[in-house]
Amino acid sequence: MKTRRWLAVLITVLLAVSLAGQIWAAAANDTLDLNQDCTLTVNPCDKKAQGNEEMAADLAGADIVVDLYKVADWKVEGTLYGFTPVEPFDLKISQDITNEGWAELAQDAAGTVLMPPKEPDKRADSGASVTLKPGVYLLVAHKRGDTDFVKTIKDKEGKSRIVTQVKTGTSVYTFNPELVALPSKMPGENGINTANPGEWRYNLEVNLKPERDDLKGKLEIIKTLKTYETSAPATFVFQIDWEENGEHRSNVQTITFTEPGQRSLKVENLPVGAEVTVKEVYSGATYVLITDPEQTVTIKADEIVQVSFENDYDETHNNGGAITNKFTYDDGWKVEKLVDNTGEYDAIE
């Protein structure tokens, strides 16, 4: 499966990575005015960036809001600037903090207010300006009205992190909580530093860059066997076909009976919006389908889509005997032994 991803970082001058150069830096000639209010505008993505048009349009209709939590105040000691944490946060902001350290602080701050979620100091519509006092703020993006947006995920190295997620029609966007300092300065030759020339920026706009993945859904195949008349297990084979990222995908699953009744299997990680065709391609010599052999459904978000097949004993083939455990498909499928797949399985194993 081809997956579209974007790095989960902020890309303007007031990011968590920008704060590293602001700790205990010498003051420039342009004096920091802590009595002046700031304005902050947060966009869910950079809609002007090339290639972001589809994502920007998708997020524009998602009704995203940004929760803002103040985590630290500015601290001035003589000609030096720094930060001091505010309740309920207990962030240790050292003089030599690294960019990775700022990411860890953002995670610590997120754990304080998102596990479980607490009311923010302010909430802003995405793309709209909000007035704030100078300080350091935690930014948390989510869909308005959603109460299940906080998730804990693991990266490729197995390290856990707190994120928020927004689901749209066929995609899920993952946002990292981020820290931002207000006011800030434009970067100089040596990066962000309060000693850089130029004026303090009290009115700032930032763009989030979420990770984007295809939204996944589930398919359940329900199989009913009305009559069981053989001594050998009765195995039924289903072929599952769909399109994903412009490519044809196919899978084969089986259900085995040793008595009459109903059994099912679930196929997971199918792309939301995909049309999936399920065909019963093998019923053995003793049983006959009494429902359509092929059914097509559309995968939906937060819903298990079902297809049902029913078989009965075929009296015209009352020859007893065992079912041959072999299934061959001309385009490449070849199963020497039919195995019961009842349970839950990924679409592609």
Side-chain angles (χ1 to χ4, degrees), residues 282-297:
Y282 182 86
S283 303
T286 313
Y287 298 95
V288 62
L289 266 169
I290 57 176
T291 54
D292 291 337
E294 182 175 308
Q295 300 179 40
T296 300
V297 292

Side-chain angles (χ1 to χ4, degrees), residues 28-332:
N29 292 332
D30 181 29
T31 303
L32 175 65
D33 184 0
L34 297 180
N35 294 316
Q36 182 173 335
D37 289 342
C38 302
T39 63
L40 175 66
T41 304
V42 183
N43 302 313
C45 73
D46 184 0
K47 59 186 178 181
K48 296 181 180 179
Q50 186 175 3
N52 273 15
E53 295 84 0
E54 180 184 348
M55 180 170 62
D58 197 19
L59 288 172
D63 196 15
I64 293 176
V65 294
V66 180
D67 290 349
L68 303 165
Y69 302 86
K70 190 174 187 180
V71 304
D73 282 317
W74 281 93
K75 178 165 60 176
V76 180
E77 293 187 4
T79 59
L80 299 178
Y81 296 146
F83 300 108
T84 183
V86 300
E87 293 289 342
F89 302 96
D90 188 26
L91 305 183
K92 301 296 189 295
I93 305 177
S94 63
Q95 298 182 37
D96 57 353
I97 189 170
T98 63
N99 292 343
E100 292 76 14
W102 279 111
E104 292 178 3
L105 286 181
Q107 284 292 304
D108 289 343
T112 300
V113 293
L114 296 182
M115 308 293 284
K118 296 178 176 59
E119 283 299 313
D121 296 316
K122 284 203 174 183
R123 176 172 290 162
D125 294 339
S126 62
S129 297
V130 59
T131 301
L132 299 166
K133 296 295 182 182
V136 181
Y137 291 85
L138 179 71
L139 279 57
V140 178
H142 64 91
K143 182 179 290 189
R144 190 193 310 275
D146 191 0
T147 58
D148 187 31
F149 57 87
V150 180
K151 308 293 180 182
T152 300
I153 64 174
K154 290 185 177 180
D155 58 23
K156 294 181 179 179
E157 289 72 34
K159 186 176 181 180
S160 297
R161 60 187 169 105
I162 300 170
V163 299
T164 59
Q165 291 187 334
V166 171
K167 295 179 181 179
T168 61
T170 60
S171 299
V172 57
Y173 296 88
T174 299
F175 294 86
N176 279 332
E178 299 286 352
L179 292 173
V180 57
L182 298 172
S184 187
K185 285 201 170 188
M186 291 296 291
E189 293 182 358
N190 298 318
I192 296 292
N193 193 297
T194 58
N196 286 344
E199 298 180 352
W200 284 101
R201 295 169 58 87
Y202 294 87
N203 304 307
L204 303 167
E205 183 174 0
V206 299
N207 298 316
L208 301 176
K209 272 201 169 181
E211 300 170 2
R212 182 183 186 184
D213 293 297
D214 292 330
L215 195 59
K216 300 298 183 181
K218 295 182 180 181
L219 167 72
E220 183 177 25
I221 301 174
I222 301 173
K223 180 66 178 179
T224 301
L225 182 61
K226 294 184 66 176
T227 308
Y228 180 78
E229 294 289 349
T230 62
S231 58
T235 299
F236 304 91
V237 181
F238 302 91
Q239 181 176 322
I240 307 158
D241 293 275
W242 71 99
E243 297 291 323
E244 186 170 344
N245 295 324
E247 297 182 3
H248 177 259
R249 306 285 187 179
S250 192
N251 195 346
V252 166
Q253 301 289 345
T254 63
I255 298 178
T256 299
F257 289 81
T258 57
E259 61 183 3
Q262 187 176 91
R263 304 193 73 190
S264 68
L265 66 87
K266 290 186 178 70
V267 182
E268 300 184 325
N269 294 322
L270 291 163
V272 168
E275 288 193 352
V276 178
T277 299
V278 183
K279 183 176 182 180
E280 183 171 312
V281 293
Y282 182 86
S283 303
T286 313
Y287 298 95
V288 62
L289 266 169
I290 57 176
T291 54
D292 291 337
E294 182 175 308
Q295 300 179 40
T296 300
V297 292
T298 301
I299 301 301
K300 300 178 181 179
D302 303 319
E303 182 179 333
I304 301 177
V305 179
Q306 297 178 331
V307 292
S308 298
F309 297 86
E310 187 172 353
N311 288 69
D312 202 358
Y313 177 63
D314 184 1
E315 295 183 358
T316 63
H317 291 79
N318 187 13
N319 53 7
I323 298 174
T324 302
N325 287 333
K326 184 175 181 180
F327 166 65
T328 301
Y329 179 62
D330 292 339
D331 290 339

